[in-house]
Amino acid sequence: MPAPTFTISQLAKEFDLTTRAIRFYEDMGLLTPERAGMQRIYSARDRARLTLTLRAKRLGLSLTEAKDILDMYDSPRDTVAQLQKFLGVLGAHRAQLEEQLAELQANLAEVREHEKKGRAALAKAQRTAKTAKTA
């Protein structure tokens, strides 16, 4: 039984991507389809790499980082080196996300403080307006 293959249109439809995006991933070296004339023929391996690439993007990794991680699994299996590289990339990414989160939390605290002051100023202005109407 032959291994399953996919066209670019099939993958685009399955993953809700444009064919241009898939060709870009190919240009980045993430996918390596076979060619039959002008037609690209993607293997189950390409489909799996596309799945993992999209997962890496959702995690916020760059395409270069995703490629580095995926390429480790194409090399001879040295689990320790692969896991060290993977954990290094994830650790750096986590640190970046934690820094962004801290910045967002600081920004939120500032916005909350301005809202609090704005509400107090509004309440004071409404009281003043109400007092002026009754006088």
Side-chain angles (χ1 to χ4, degrees):
M1 180 175 206
T5 59
F6 310 90
T7 66
I8 194 168
S9 297
Q10 289 171 322
L11 290 179
K13 183 176 180 180
E14 178 180 352
F15 291 97
D16 193 27
L17 296 169
T18 64
T19 55
R20 183 177 181 195
I22 294 173
R23 286 191 301 273
F24 178 73
Y25 294 150
E26 183 181 337
D27 290 343
M28 293 286 298
L30 290 157
L31 307 173
T32 54
E34 297 291 322
R35 300 280 183 158
M38 294 295 293
Q39 185 178 18
R40 292 168 167 85
I41 301 171
Y42 295 88
S43 65
R45 176 186 173 275
D46 289 315
R47 185 183 172 281
R49 284 178 66 96
L50 181 56
T51 300
L52 295 171
T53 297
L54 296 174
R55 185 174 298 153
K57 279 186 62 181
R58 280 193 304 275
L59 287 172
L61 300 178
S62 71
L63 291 178
T64 302
E65 290 169 325
K67 183 181 182 318
D68 288 346
I69 291 169
L70 290 172
D71 287 348
M72 285 188 306
Y73 292 96
D74 288 338
S75 64
R77 296 260 179 205
D78 181 3
T79 306
V80 171
Q82 289 170 346
L83 288 173
Q84 287 173 334
K85 171 73 173 178
F86 181 63
L87 289 172
V89 169
L90 287 179
H93 186 63
R94 179 189 38 75
Q96 180 185 10
L97 289 174
E98 287 172 347
E99 183 178 314
Q100 289 172 344
L101 178 60
E103 288 175 19
L104 284 172
Q105 288 172 332
N107 287 342
L108 276 172
E110 187 175 342
V111 167
R112 286 183 184 115
E113 185 60 30
H114 285 294
E115 283 179 323
K116 182 180 175 182
K117 289 178 181 178
R119 284 190 183 99
L122 176 60
K124 182 179 178 182
Q126 287 171 333
R127 283 190 306 273
T128 302
K130 188 175 182 180
T131 304
K133 282 184 182 179
T134 59

